[in-house]
Amino acid sequence: MTTTNSTSPRPNSRRGDAQERGGLLVEGVTLTLGDGDATITALDDVHLNVAPGEFVAIVGPSGSGKSSLLAVAGALTTPDAGRVLLDGVDISRANGREKARHRREKIGFVFQSGNLIPALTTLDQLRFALDVAGKRADDGYDPRELLDRVGMGHRAGHRPHQLSGGERQRVGIARALVTRPAVLLVDEPTAALDRARSDDIVTLLAHETHEANVATIMVTHDHDVLHHCDRILSMVDGRLSE
Ligand SMILES: Nc1ncnc2c1ncn2[C@@H]1O[C@H](COP(=O)(O)OP(=O)(O)OP(=O)(O)O)[C@@H](O)[C@H]1O
Ligand SMILES: [Mg+2]
């Protein structure tokens, strides 16, 4: 029998995912920030390939370029050189309007604290994300089913201030996934959580990466959660290495 039990992993499952998809390909990306004498090479010839259903962690010192890489991968920042292919589409050559569309349709973002909209209930956070992406529940996931899957079905009517930090992060993950993005970009999701909650959240991210067949990059300083990841890369001075 099929259940919605979020503790039963289905590695690389394509359940309900009729559409074949590409992951994320970053090729020779360089990014210079600042101006005048104060320029800094935030990304220095970065190459990265994340397959659908793969969970990649990036670690590295503060200021090494981790968030800059997520910004480039997420079509928020245009690199000075190199290409970013998202689900087969070169977003580094897209104009502003196209980039915004790719962000809405193909990318899910998860931040440190969930970044939920204070006035909306849990269920409406997900419905709103679908609306913004111009998708209906059958283009993405059914919001109620997805909330059950991330263990938040019983909090569908709660607003963010009525949730714990770990619960808010679960809702943030569901909201990022409800549009069925090809790529999930996660920046320090456990920074505000205790150890047990951190482990829960990264376990969920690993499970959903496989279940939703999404290419996930997680930036983290939390070495205790790395065993949940398929691959660990480090960033030092804008350079990425295995
Ligand atoms: N808008 C900007 N203008 C100039 N320099 C910037 C800008 N944004 C970031 N930087 C610089 O680029 C470098 C990389 O920053 P980034 O935020 O990517 O680091 P990070 O690895 O995410 O660090 P942390 O672990 O502290 O979050 C840093 O030296 C930072 O000061
Ligand atoms: Mg950062």
Side-chain angles (χ1 to χ4, degrees):
M1 195 181 100
T2 306
T3 71
T4 53
N5 182 351
S6 65
T7 59
S8 60
R10 285 190 203 86
N12 294 318
S13 158
R14 288 173 176 252
R15 193 182 62 136
D17 203 358
Q19 159 201 2
E20 197 59 40
R21 48 168 52 159
L24 174 72
L25 183 62
V26 173
E27 286 184 333
V29 158
T30 296
L31 177 69
T32 307
L33 293 173
D35 42 20
D37 290 343
T39 61
I40 170 158
T41 305
L43 298 174
D44 184 2
D45 192 25
V46 170
H47 294 261
L48 173 62
N49 190 357
V50 187
E54 188 180 21
F55 187 21
V56 171
I58 298 184
V59 295
S62 189
S64 59
K66 305 179 300 294
S67 295
S68 301
L69 176 58
L70 292 189
V72 167
L76 292 165
T77 301
T78 304
D80 299 292
R83 302 199 305 160
V84 177
L85 273 86
L86 192 69
D87 200 13
V89 177
D90 185 354
I91 55 164
S92 41
R93 301 282 168 272
N95 64 33
R97 182 186 291 254
E98 289 166 343
K99 277 189 174 151
R101 183 167 57 80
H102 293 315
R103 273 201 300 277
R104 289 194 303 268
E105 294 180 356
K106 295 193 180 297
I107 305 171
F109 292 97
V110 177
F111 302 100
Q112 186 169 323
S113 56
N115 280 61
L116 302 175
I117 299 170
L120 296 184
T121 64
T122 293
L123 184 60
D124 284 341
Q125 307 278 345
L126 272 62
R127 288 177 170 154
F128 182 66
L130 280 171
D131 265 0
V132 168
K135 293 187 180 181
R136 297 189 315 270
D138 48 353
D139 302 320
Y141 287 108
D142 178 85
R144 283 190 185 274
E145 274 180 28
L146 184 56
L147 284 179
D148 283 339
R149 217 164 84 188
V150 303
M152 289 300 293
H154 63 310
R155 295 283 184 267
H158 282 54
R159 293 190 166 76
H161 73 273
Q162 300 168 312
L163 301 172
S164 73
E167 288 174 335
R168 281 198 287 270
Q169 204 53 300
R170 282 177 183 269
V171 177
I173 291 166
R175 181 191 54 187
L177 288 169
V178 71
T179 57
R180 278 184 194 255
V183 172
L184 185 62
L185 302 173
V186 187
D187 203 350
E188 302 202 34
T190 63
L193 303 179
D194 66 24
R195 186 151 177 186
R197 237 47 61 200
S198 297
D199 203 74
D200 286 350
I201 287 302
V202 180
T203 300
L204 175 67
L205 282 167
H207 178 265
E208 287 303 321
T209 295
H210 301 146
E211 181 78 11
N213 202 34
V214 63
T216 299
I217 304 179
M218 174 179 70
V219 163
T220 185
H221 284 110
D222 185 353
H223 286 255
D224 292 334
V225 301
L226 293 176
H227 62 281
H228 294 294
C229 301
D230 300 319
R231 199 148 51 102
I232 300 160
L233 303 174
S234 36
M235 180 77 95
V236 177
D237 289 341
R239 298 190 73 96
L240 192 63
S241 58
E242 298 275 340

